[in-house]
Amino acid sequence: MDKIHMVDLLGQYRHIEEEVNDAIRQVIESTAFINGPAVKSFEQALASYLGTEHVIGCANGTDALQIALMALNLPDDAEIIVPAFNYVAAAEVVALLKCKLVFCDVDERLFTLDVKDVKRKITPKTKVIIAVHLFGQAAPMEELVALAAEYNLVIVEDNAQAIGADYIFNNGSRKKLGTIGHIGTTSFFPSKNLGCYGDGGAITTNDAELAPVMRSIAGHGQSKKYFYERVGVNSRLDTLQAAILNVKVKYLDQYITGRQLAADFYDKHLGAIPWLSIPARTDYSTHVFHQYTVLVKGKSRDEINKQLMENGIPSMIYYPVSLHQTTAYGFVETNKLPGAESLTSRVLSLPMHTELTDDQLQHICDTMAIL
Ligand SMILES: *Cc1c(COP(=O)(O)O)cnc(C)c1O
């Protein structure tokens, strides 16, 4: 059995090696390194995959969030609601833009925004909710969209971990995550479900007014070369990365199926173990398993992590601390966030990627069963 990795980017590359190498060589030989044709063709490919009007490539998923918020022209005292149990990006850009960061609790079963707490946090100054689709499954968009309509708020979907997942509305219709709120943002960090071989990100929207504003902000605030309409940033999707993504986006559905099969295997073999709970699935979205995260109960998580490691099995803690309890964001006054706080001491993510074999999965599950 091959060594088990948390993610296996080399194994994945081996299946698409020639196509990727050709794509890279074409960019180099064209010398169109900045804003080359691959950027536009990838933006179009992703727009059609997601079923959205506009896709704007940018340098990474954090920039995508920053550009989205900059485009909204928020008043100085704007409040932005962000989940506390989350990767740092959303909180970071809110703080950088000097808006008021409002941390919200998450649902302990689903890891995504707790709508009841969102409601409690809305004030007349609230302007934006950043809905993060954590670990590959949707935040409760239908309820959030209704709240946004009632209070005239903008919803930005941080789709860095859930690209390709479907939202299933009450009436049975479906939309890809990232296309339901006003703006969607995503990251192509190598280990993401659609990852490139460096940094990359994108912004998506169906809003014909916001789209050119966001494109201009990503390009130094220009309307055309050397005509600056607004203060912008320099945030481009690199042409080499776009060329790689053009190859990989064709395999995204296959990659998602690979993750879902691995998750089904885990569910089936871990579901009866008394000291953990397997990840809950909502009935309102598919799950694309950026992470397969179990909750450890009544056993020491450190001990489990150590014993897995001794059996050649890596595991990771996403996330060991809630953002409102970190040094950088501890300044934010908030009520107790029991969901977020309790998750930080219970979550454990198991190996999850497109190259896991049944042998490897069996070894992981057999080992878990006797811990
Ligand atoms: C990865 C990630 C980001 C940021 O992406 P970068 O490309 O690393 O800047 C933002 N939000 C979430 C939820 C992420 O997982």
Side-chain angles (χ1 to χ4, degrees), residues 42-360:
F42 172 65
E43 287 175 346
Q44 285 166 351
L46 188 61
S48 99
Y49 176 86
L50 293 173
T52 190
E53 289 292 319
H54 309 276
V55 171
I56 299 149
C58 66
N60 57 65
T62 309
D63 276 8
L65 283 163
Q66 178 174 335
I67 293 161
L69 294 183
M70 285 172 76
L72 297 175
N73 247 324
L74 299 168
D76 287 343
D77 61 352
E79 296 180 5
I80 301 185
I81 293 178
V82 174
F85 182 77
N86 185 20
Y87 184 64
V88 71
E92 181 176 69
V93 302
V94 171
L96 278 172
L97 294 176
K98 308 225 176 291
C99 294
K100 183 163 178 222
L101 189 50
V102 178
F103 282 125
C104 189
D105 208 1
V106 297
D107 181 306
E108 272 183 70
R109 258 172 20 92
L110 303 175
F111 310 118
T112 52
L113 277 174
D114 171 357
V115 178
K116 276 204 219 87
D117 201 41
V118 174
K119 262 189 208 157
R120 266 183 239 127
K121 300 282 160 74
I122 293 174
T123 76
K125 291 178 179 167
T126 307
K127 297 291 174 222
V128 183
I129 299 171
I130 301 185
V132 182
H133 303 311
L134 206 71
F135 300 156
Q137 189 166 239
M141 290 304 293
E142 208 154 1
E143 289 170 87
L144 293 173
V145 165
L147 272 183
E150 185 179 346
Y151 294 96
N152 199 21
L153 311 176
V154 172
I155 295 192
V156 176
E157 294 178 71
D158 180 346
N159 200 26
Q161 299 192 4
I163 196 160
D166 286 337
Y167 199 88
I168 306 160
F169 291 86
N170 283 330
N171 67 8
S173 68
R174 288 176 179 235
K175 271 189 187 174
K176 290 282 181 211
L177 295 191
T179 68
I180 302 158
H182 302 83
I183 304 174
T185 65
T186 198
S187 163
F188 307 118
F189 187 86
S191 60
K192 298 281 153 89
N193 289 20
L194 177 59
C196 59
Y197 296 163
D199 276 304
I203 310 157
T204 57
T205 188
N206 285 317
D207 187 316
E209 279 173 32
L210 279 173
V213 175
M214 294 194 289
R215 195 174 281 286
S216 154
I217 291 172
H220 289 298
Q222 296 174 103
S223 51
K224 55 183 181 183
K225 215 167 169 56
Y226 304 123
F227 289 81
Y228 306 102
E229 266 190 333
R230 52 178 64 79
V231 177
V233 294
N234 177 23
S235 187
R236 293 184 282 248
L237 178 60
D238 189 88
T239 311
L240 278 170
Q241 302 305 339
I244 292 160
L245 287 165
N246 258 329
V247 174
K248 290 189 73 179
V249 71
K250 291 184 290 181
Y251 298 97
L252 179 55
D253 281 339
Q254 191 181 313
Y255 292 158
I256 289 171
T257 304
R259 287 171 179 274
Q260 288 170 335
L261 289 173
D264 289 346
F265 194 107
Y266 278 139
D267 279 357
K268 189 164 148 224
H269 293 84
L270 303 180
I273 297 181
W275 56 264
L276 63 77
S277 21
I278 59 174
R281 313 224 186 164
T282 69
D283 50 9
Y284 58 73
S285 104
T286 61
H287 199 320
V288 295
F289 288 98
H290 178 58
Q291 298 296 343
Y292 186 91
T293 302
V294 301
L295 295 179
V296 178
K297 41 187 188 188
K299 250 192 202 295
S300 152
R301 183 178 56 179
D302 287 349
E303 192 54 33
I304 305 268
N305 172 277
K306 197 173 127 237
Q307 289 184 18
L308 287 174
M309 201 42 117
E310 284 165 9
N311 285 280
I313 302 163
S315 61
M316 298 284 281
I317 295 165
Y318 303 116
Y319 298 96
V321 62
S322 177
L323 293 167
H324 72 289
Q325 299 178 314
T326 59
T327 307
Y329 300 98
F331 71 92
V332 177
E333 275 184 40
T334 184
N335 60 330
K336 278 226 168 307
L337 302 171
E341 286 167 25
S342 120
L343 283 179
T344 57
S345 60
R346 293 154 63 212
V347 284
L348 186 71
S349 296
L350 300 179
M352 174 49 76
H353 55 79
T354 57
E355 310 303 311
L356 283 166
T357 63
D358 281 0
D359 278 0
Q360 292 176 322

